[in-house]
Amino acid sequence: MARRPLPRILSNGSAQLARSRELARTAADSATDVLHPLITITRGLRRLAAAGRRRWADTPKERRGALLFLVASVILVVALVPYGPLLAVITLMTAAAWQGRDRAPASPDGPDEMQSRRLKSLYEALVPYFSTAEDPEPLYAHGGAWDKAFPTYAFDGGGRISHLVVRYPAYFTDSEAEARARIEHLLVAKSGRGREYHFTWDEEGNQLTVGVLLPLPVDITAQRFVTAPGETVLGFTDPTEVRRTLPLTYGEQRRDVPPVVWRTGLRSTEPHLLALGQPGSGTSTLLRSIALQALQHGDVVIVDGGGTGEYACLTGRDGVLAVECGLTGALASLEWAATETERRLIAANRAHQAGQPPPDDTKRPLWILLDRPTAFTHLAAADDRKDPQSLLQVPLRHGRPAHVTVVVADQLDCLDALSEPVRQHTRARVVLGPATAEQLESALGAPPHTTPVDQVPPGRGYARLGTGPVHRLQVPATPNPYDDATPDAHREAVLALLPPRTTPADGETVPEPDGVPGEPEPVPTDREPEPAPVAVASKTPEPQPEPVPVQVAETPEPQPERVPVVTKDPLPNPVPVLTKPTEAKRG
């Protein structure tokens, strides 16, 4: 069956339709020009009528009769005067034309004298970088016209450049980082310091777009973010960098802010994080924010190398396995974390070989948060003990299949003091506080597209997840609630997010619930892999002949809490079964 051809207007009538639209648009523009006086007079009559109605509404009722008599008298006089009606109509049309005129201020055709002088100065400064003697028609030349080089520009209220498009010749080496850095440094110096600029290089069009970035909001406090399990909000960035927004609460107000979301888990390409910054830049705030989010679905082990008590609010909380500030406790906790990672891997491997799903105790996320681990390096070297960073090799290398995540925060100057596994396996990077472009490139692996400033608020910096772009970052305010300098609003926000305190602060004994309604059971007795090595021997309610002696023998340096239980002061009932004399009698 032969196909019927399309109508001519659909097959080859696109040009006719385009011409018809153009003719219609031209006729409309012409009609608007012709009828412009009539449109102006009509607008003026409408405004005069509205003014008359307002005047009548504002007149008191007792004076409206006198006003009506005055208007009627004027109309009668105008009607009796020769040519009065004609003069009245002309006067009314003139008043309507005056009231109906376009009152919008006319925008200036070009920059004023001060703006022209600033653009001329910037043009002259770029001449040595964008000109060469062999160019027959140079775009940049001393005494040349700057309007060809700057097709688009904008100024803020202070007279400084806020937006600029720079054209440059094709022979400029825009693919070299050094050449770009020189131009960006010059534009920042001539446009105004103290602001953050964003540079967009268009190599194909030989154009550079310079924009001034607005400051990121610093009033975002800690709160429950709308995220899925395995997603952690590091902070917030510019709306043009990410496509996702999160609803945030500001008292009674709500607004959407674009976040920087870090994804962990089995399918994550950046399973571990490294945060660097100067003292007071907000790295501890970032770790507290991550800990509060991680406690919703997992367990946390915290090692504080600073020893300032920044994480005391998390001690004894539900899901917090340990908060260590000393070298001995840090070694014991990290050694248990390495053993727990191996146990999870072995259990998951056996389940996979048997064709079964992994056990539930291997799928609960375990977070290891370390603040300033390099401080323990010097202490360990002085006491001739093991460096705690050496115990992170197993969680860093095999943590992703075991649902173990490591977050390390340290000072920016101590980057070289971090161990090789830490630098190699922490592909998600955050740099907070003031830093030079060289430091940012060394820590993040790529230079940012914005210019860093010297003075920034706490929690302000840059973030890069793997090989992705570099984002500006503002960490939500999560201060220490026990600090006297913390504002009341921020303290209440952090305390509202803390889990209930279900275990004692020392972590030695956990009493069984005596039928108290509403009291949750202790977390370490529900899950076997969670208790730290310090609490293993004391929290076992039933005698176990084999696992406990092996665990005691593997610990190279017994903790002070464990010695009274194992050797000196045996407790009644189950404890004598765990002691070494019992094993001797068996032998």
Side-chain angles (χ1 to χ4, degrees):
M1 181 177 179
R3 298 179 58 185
R4 297 179 60 184
L6 293 174
R8 188 172 182 179
I9 190 173
L10 296 178
S11 60
N12 57 358
S14 58
Q16 297 180 359
L17 291 176
R19 286 195 299 269
S20 301
R21 286 195 297 267
E22 186 65 25
L23 291 175
R25 190 179 297 108
T26 303
D29 295 340
S30 302
T32 303
D33 295 339
V34 172
L35 299 177
H36 182 71
L38 182 59
I39 295 173
T40 302
I41 293 175
T42 304
R43 188 189 305 120
L45 291 174
R46 187 170 61 253
R47 292 177 180 176
L48 290 175
R53 286 195 300 270
R54 288 194 301 269
R55 179 62 182 274
W56 178 260
D58 295 341
T59 303
K61 293 183 179 181
E62 61 273 10
R63 296 183 181 180
R64 291 183 179 179
L67 181 60
L68 286 175
F69 179 76
L70 178 61
V71 172
S73 302
V74 171
I75 294 175
L76 180 61
V77 171
V78 170
L80 296 178
V81 172
Y83 303 102
L86 180 60
L87 294 176
V89 172
I90 294 175
T91 304
L92 180 63
M93 294 297 103
T94 304
W98 177 258
Q99 290 293 330
R101 72 187 188 280
D102 191 4
R103 300 180 182 181
S107 59
D109 297 336
D112 54 18
E113 182 179 357
M114 185 183 64
Q115 296 175 356
S116 299
R117 186 165 57 252
R118 184 181 289 271
L119 292 174
K120 181 66 175 179
S121 175
L122 181 58
Y123 174 83
E124 294 291 340
L126 292 173
V127 169
Y129 301 93
F130 288 153
S131 64
T132 180
E134 292 80 9
D135 191 354
E137 297 181 358
L139 180 62
Y140 289 83
H142 292 289
W146 56 264
D147 54 350
K148 296 182 180 180
F150 306 145
T152 306
Y153 51 85
F155 294 85
D156 57 7
R160 297 191 298 179
I161 296 176
S162 60
H163 180 76
L164 182 66
V165 176
V166 180
R167 295 178 55 195
Y168 56 86
Y171 52 77
F172 175 72
T173 57
D174 53 2
S175 59
E176 298 179 2
E178 294 79 5
R180 289 188 176 190
R182 288 194 298 267
I183 300 300
E184 293 175 359
H185 180 74
L186 176 62
L187 291 174
V188 171
K190 294 297 183 181
S191 301
R193 299 181 183 273
R195 301 184 298 175
E196 291 188 82
Y197 295 87
H198 184 270
F199 298 96
T200 303
W201 290 84
D202 183 10
E203 294 86 351
E204 297 180 356
N206 299 324
Q207 286 187 354
L208 169 62
T209 304
V210 184
V212 178
L213 297 176
L214 297 176
L216 294 176
V218 296
D219 56 347
I220 301 177
T221 58
Q223 53 189 279
R224 293 299 183 196
F225 303 116
V226 184
T227 55
E231 294 183 346
T232 303
V233 177
L234 300 179
F236 302 92
T237 183
D238 300 304
T240 58
E241 297 295 332
V242 296
R243 301 179 181 178
R244 178 180 177 181
T245 58
L246 289 181
L248 301 182
T249 303
Y250 294 84
E252 298 180 355
Q253 300 179 356
R254 296 179 65 89
R255 63 179 179 180
D256 296 337
V257 181
V260 178
V261 179
W262 172 41
R263 293 176 176 84
T264 57
L266 293 175
R267 295 174 178 82
S268 174
T269 57
E270 303 87 19
H272 309 294
L273 175 71
L274 175 61
L276 301 172
Q278 302 292 345
S281 58
T283 54
S284 299
T285 298
L286 176 61
L287 258 65
R288 273 191 298 269
S289 177
I290 293 176
L292 293 178
Q293 299 179 60
L295 288 174
Q296 301 182 52
H297 308 285
D299 301 326
V300 175
V301 175
I302 301 176
V303 176
D304 184 11
T308 57
E310 292 288 336
Y311 309 95
C313 60
L314 297 172
T315 304
R317 300 288 178 176
D318 186 9
V320 181
L321 304 183
V323 178
E324 300 293 344
C325 300
L327 177 59
T328 303
L331 289 174
S333 299
L334 294 180
E335 185 175 358
W336 173 84
T339 305
E340 173 65 12
T341 304
E342 295 176 353
R343 186 199 68 80
R344 292 188 176 200
L345 290 175
I346 294 174
N349 187 22
R350 290 176 179 175
H352 293 162
Q353 291 180 358
Q356 299 178 357
D360 294 338
D361 58 354
T362 63
K363 295 187 294 184
R364 183 173 176 82
L366 175 61
W367 292 73
I368 305 175
L369 308 181
L370 295 93
D371 192 356
R372 293 197 62 191
T374 56
F376 290 126
T377 303
H378 304 286
L379 297 177
D383 296 344
D384 195 14
R385 303 173 73 177
K386 185 184 298 183
D387 186 3
Q389 296 188 57
S390 61
L391 300 174
L392 295 175
Q393 185 172 1
V394 174
L396 287 172
R397 290 182 180 273
H398 309 286
R400 181 174 59 180
H403 296 275
V404 178
T405 304
V406 179
V407 180
V408 180
D410 215 313
Q411 296 184 4
L412 188 60
D413 300 335
C414 300
L415 179 60
D416 297 335
L418 295 173
S419 62
E420 183 62 26
V422 173
R423 295 196 304 267
Q424 182 179 0
H425 294 282
T426 52
R427 293 171 51 84
R429 298 291 181 91
V430 173
V431 178
L432 301 178
T436 61
E438 292 77 11
Q439 291 176 335
L440 292 174
E441 185 175 2
S442 176
L444 301 176
H449 295 288
T450 61
T451 56
V453 294
D454 298 334
Q455 298 181 357
V456 293
R460 174 71 176 80
Y462 297 89
R464 189 188 186 203
L465 304 179
T467 58
V470 179
H471 301 285
R472 288 203 309 166
L473 181 70
Q474 178 63 49
V475 178
T478 315
N480 181 14
Y482 296 162
D483 190 357
D484 297 337
T486 302
D488 294 338
H490 293 179
R491 180 183 293 107
E492 294 176 358
V494 175
L495 292 177
L497 299 178
L498 291 175
R501 194 185 296 274
T502 56
T503 58
D506 53 3
E508 292 183 359
T509 58
V510 180
E512 295 290 336
D514 298 332
V516 179
E519 182 176 356
E521 296 183 1
V523 176
T525 58
D526 294 337
R527 295 180 297 272
E528 296 181 2
E530 293 178 359
V534 177
V536 170
S538 59
K539 293 183 181 179
T540 307
E542 298 180 2
Q544 297 179 2
E546 296 181 0
V548 176
V550 174
Q551 196 163 4
V552 173
E554 289 179 352
T555 305
E557 298 175 0
Q559 300 298 322
E561 293 82 352
R562 190 188 305 165
V563 175
V565 177
V566 180
T567 58
K568 293 184 179 180
D569 299 327
L571 298 177
N573 297 334
V575 178
V577 181
L578 305 179
T579 56
K580 293 184 179 179
T582 303
E583 297 179 1
K585 291 180 181 180
R586 292 180 182 178

